[in-house]
Amino acid sequence: MEITGLPLPATALVTGAATGIGAAIADRLARHGLDLVLVARDAVRLESAARRLRAEHGVEVLVVPLDLALPDAPARLSGALAEAGRTVDVLVNNAGAAAVGAVADADPARTGELIDVNARAVAALTALFLPAMVDRGRGAIVNVASTAAYSPAPYNAAYGASKAFVLSFTQAVWEETRDTGVRVVAVSPGPVRTPMNPRAGRGKRRPEQVADTVLAALRSRRPALVDGRVNTVQAFVFSRLLPVRAATRVAGAFFRKSASRAASAAPGERAGSA
Ligand SMILES: NC(=O)c1ccc[n+]([C@@H]2O[C@H](COP(=O)([O-])OP(=O)(O)OC[C@H]3O[C@@H](n4cnc5c(N)ncnc54)[C@H](OP(=O)(O)O)[C@@H]3O)[C@@H](O)[C@H]2O)c1
């Protein structure tokens, strides 16, 4: 396969694969002939995505309904893959949760679950699949972060911090694996119109554009890519040019608006802002 240099047949595991960015990534990988393992909580949505991918691309698709916030999720996933006799060549840690608002108003349990799925599961799945990839001398891991990773994110604090973890963790593993033949990269989208961010306005990026950036990231040698030119400049300004206090204040003004829009939105549109 030209996108990662992997010979076919090869299998990609995509988390959060039935909706939004994950569905677009799964579609792109299937188009390149990769078999898929789709992971998310909603089994019905996963099955319907799997049926479409099999029909449109003729690839094999295994569905593993799983809550990645559970501490034993990696063990359950490992068991399901062993039972199906599947090896993972490409891991895309895309599943994530969002919750805007002040930390003082947040539900502590929900904050913990957000960190579990956005950060802990990403590290645990990377640690689960990386050793076999290193042994084989090939493979790829893409961890989906966010432009919110590039400065503190008041009114989106746990989300921003969880994505900063993903970015830092991935850059570190990139360095550790540089000479192993395994490609490790973080991809950071800005606002994208998806179920997580239904109010991302017109002109925002589409999931398919992020999926193209993921493919570009797999072909590149860089440890981290931001999706889209405007987002790339913004991430550079926030992380490298502005003093932290100024960046934090500007980001806070942005997420405070998102939080009040989300609070006044119809219940179906209240997912948050990534
Ligand atoms: N949309 C944006 O503006 C934006 C911007 C920057 C970064 N991102 C990142 O992009 C990634 C994809 O988000 P999206 O925008 O495409 O939103 P989305 O459509 O809501 O996708 C999130 C996916 O994660 C899955 N998921 C959530 N919690 C899970 C859990 N506990 N266990 C397993 N799966 C879980 C969901 O499926 P189930 O509900 O079926 O579990 C869903 O398929 C996320 O990491 C997000 O942080 C998004």
Side-chain angles (χ1 to χ4, degrees):
M1 178 191 53
E2 89 270 19
I3 57 175
T4 60
L6 287 169
L8 292 175
T11 298
L13 187 154
V14 183
T15 68
T19 61
I21 295 168
I25 295 170
D27 186 76
R28 288 290 189 276
L29 293 172
R31 259 192 228 183
H32 280 82
L34 272 88
D35 296 325
L36 293 167
V37 180
L38 308 182
V39 179
R41 289 165 302 182
D42 188 324
V44 175
R45 275 201 310 223
L46 280 181
E47 285 295 354
S48 111
R51 270 196 302 278
R52 189 181 51 73
L53 289 162
R54 288 183 198 112
E56 287 179 9
H57 304 293
V59 296
E60 285 185 27
V61 185
L62 174 70
V63 157
V64 184
L66 187 62
D67 184 347
L68 289 166
L70 296 175
D72 65 348
R76 289 187 196 208
L77 184 53
S78 204
L81 292 169
E83 199 175 307
R86 291 293 178 97
T87 302
V88 172
D89 302 289
V90 178
L91 168 66
V92 183
N93 278 310
N94 161 80
V100 283
V103 173
D105 299 329
D107 171 357
R110 190 154 176 235
T111 302
E113 280 165 21
L114 181 149
I115 294 166
D116 282 343
V117 64
N118 287 11
R120 196 187 45 72
V122 169
L125 294 194
T126 300
L128 178 65
F129 293 109
L130 185 60
M133 291 183 190
V134 170
D135 284 350
R136 292 195 293 272
R138 61 172 194 258
I141 298 180
V142 179
N143 292 333
V144 177
S146 164
T147 48
Y150 285 83
S151 82
Y155 304 97
N156 205 7
Y159 180 83
S162 70
K163 293 300 188 178
F165 174 92
V166 172
L167 181 61
S168 169
F169 175 79
T170 308
Q171 288 169 315
V173 180
W174 174 86
E175 173 62 25
E176 290 176 11
T177 53
R178 254 195 316 157
D179 302 322
T180 63
V182 180
R183 174 94 192 92
V184 178
V185 63
V187 173
S188 291
V192 184
R193 206 179 171 92
T194 67
M196 177 182 286
N197 202 357
R199 294 172 75 82
R202 245 183 250 137
K204 299 302 179 202
R205 305 275 292 171
R206 287 177 291 108
E208 294 73 22
Q209 292 177 293
V210 181
D212 286 338
T213 299
V214 166
L215 293 199
L218 284 168
R219 289 189 206 103
S220 88
R221 295 182 157 274
R222 292 160 55 188
L225 262 82
V226 175
D227 171 58
R229 224 172 285 166
V230 172
N231 293 330
T232 303
V233 172
Q234 185 196 303
F236 180 79
V237 169
F238 273 70
S239 60
R240 310 281 280 279
L241 296 186
L242 286 176
V244 176
R245 276 172 69 168
T248 305
R249 199 163 300 163
V250 177
F254 173 81
F255 288 118
R256 188 175 201 163
K257 261 194 220 151
S258 303
S260 62
R261 273 204 310 267
S264 61
E269 287 199 330
R270 205 169 284 161
S273 177

